[in-house]
Amino acid sequence: MKKTAIILGASGLTGSHVLQKLIEDDRYDTIKLFSRSKIEGLPTKVKQFIGDLLELNQFKEDFTADEVYCCIGTTAKKTPDKTLYKKIDFGIPVAAARLSKENKIPTFLVISAMGANKNSNVFYNKTKGEMEHKVLQQQLEKTFVLRPSLIGGDRQESRLLEKIGLVIFKVIQPLFIGKLKKYKIVNAETIAEAMIHLANTNEYSDVIITSEDINKLGNNA
């Protein structure tokens, strides 16, 4: 039987890769996008629901699927207001997980970040950690939290400092061996591959997927 997938954040770097791969995947006949604006030029198997994701409950009736790919995320530069930042990076994934629970969606995958810790003194790490905690509290049948390190790929928007960081990281990648492997750059396409692989197999028992394991899963998918 063909499957239905929901993507949150399909216009972003990783979400766009998930979208393209699911479009090409014959296991899926319906892909639902929930977003603020429409993406043009998509095939008929993609259904788009436009609205305010901060009010995700408005989509409850249409929020039905076999899997949810939550690729939502912002940055301190794009969203300097910490209250709004938390509404996006914490509020949207948690609301999506709760809707998944209510609508009996068995599989939920969410992108977090390396260093996520609900007890951290760092706002970014604390927000991600609190998000993970609340998502896992829903006790869905199958939940995966992916914690990539620095994400590589071609972004639509310009992030000068991030680009500089990526260049530096690429130069020193050969030094990342042993325990340092978890700090290696993870390409957005690799994350997408890992997410889809996790959703379609039962071979991985861990709930928290580290950066190193994302690279292994994505490159071997």
Side-chain angles (χ1 to χ4, degrees):
M1 185 179 292
K2 301 280 189 176
K3 298 201 291 182
T4 297
I6 287 173
I7 305 176
L8 299 169
S11 61
L13 179 59
T14 305
S16 62
H17 282 291
V18 173
L19 173 58
Q20 188 56 44
K21 290 182 183 301
L22 292 184
I23 288 173
E24 297 168 357
D25 196 322
D26 292 337
R27 291 172 294 190
Y28 299 83
D29 63 1
T30 304
I31 304 166
K32 296 181 177 181
L33 308 185
F34 294 86
S35 56
R36 292 179 301 171
S37 56
K38 186 176 181 180
I39 300 174
E40 300 294 339
L42 296 179
T44 56
K45 72 186 287 188
V46 181
K47 314 300 180 186
Q48 301 194 60
F49 302 87
I50 309 304
D52 185 1
L53 294 188
L54 297 179
E55 302 293 337
L56 201 58
N57 279 325
Q58 68 182 298
F59 298 113
K60 182 175 180 179
E61 186 176 333
D62 296 305
F63 204 90
T64 56
D66 299 288
E67 301 157 9
V68 173
Y69 295 84
C70 187
C71 306
I72 286 291
T74 185
T75 64
K77 181 180 178 180
K78 288 175 64 177
T79 313
D81 185 318
K82 288 187 176 181
T83 300
L84 179 57
Y85 183 100
K86 189 162 186 176
K87 285 181 179 179
I88 297 170
D89 270 45
F90 170 87
I92 295 175
V94 171
R98 285 173 175 162
L99 275 180
S100 297
K101 181 72 170 183
E102 291 175 20
N103 290 349
K104 296 179 171 57
I105 300 174
T107 302
F108 188 89
L109 304 101
V110 61
I111 298 175
S112 182
M114 187 171 67
N117 183 344
K118 66 185 179 68
N119 298 314
S120 175
N121 292 322
V122 179
F123 174 75
Y124 178 81
N125 292 346
K126 182 178 178 65
T127 299
K128 291 293 188 183
E130 289 174 341
M131 177 274 289
E132 292 182 0
H133 179 68
K134 288 295 184 181
V135 165
L136 293 174
Q137 273 190 336
Q138 305 311 308
Q139 296 185 324
L140 296 168
E141 185 177 323
K142 194 174 178 179
T143 304
F144 292 106
V145 176
L146 288 84
R147 291 180 177 174
S149 58
L150 195 60
I151 301 175
D154 295 324
R155 300 181 184 275
Q156 291 181 348
E157 74 271 26
S158 175
R159 296 183 184 178
L160 180 59
L161 290 178
E162 190 165 301
K163 286 181 178 179
I164 293 172
L166 281 169
V167 170
I168 295 172
F169 262 67
K170 285 178 181 178
V171 170
I172 63 176
Q173 287 293 289
L175 301 177
F176 290 177
I177 58 176
K179 292 183 179 181
L180 294 178
K181 282 184 178 180
K182 63 182 179 180
Y183 296 107
K184 281 191 172 182
I185 294 170
V186 185
N187 286 325
E189 185 173 4
T190 301
I191 300 172
E193 288 278 14
M195 294 179 88
I196 296 169
H197 180 72
L198 287 165
N200 285 281
T201 63
N202 293 312
E203 63 188 39
Y204 212 81
S205 59
D206 291 344
V207 172
I208 304 296
I209 314 299
T210 64
S211 196
E212 183 179 354
D213 287 334
I214 293 170
N215 267 321
K216 288 178 183 177
L217 287 166
N219 291 321
N220 294 325

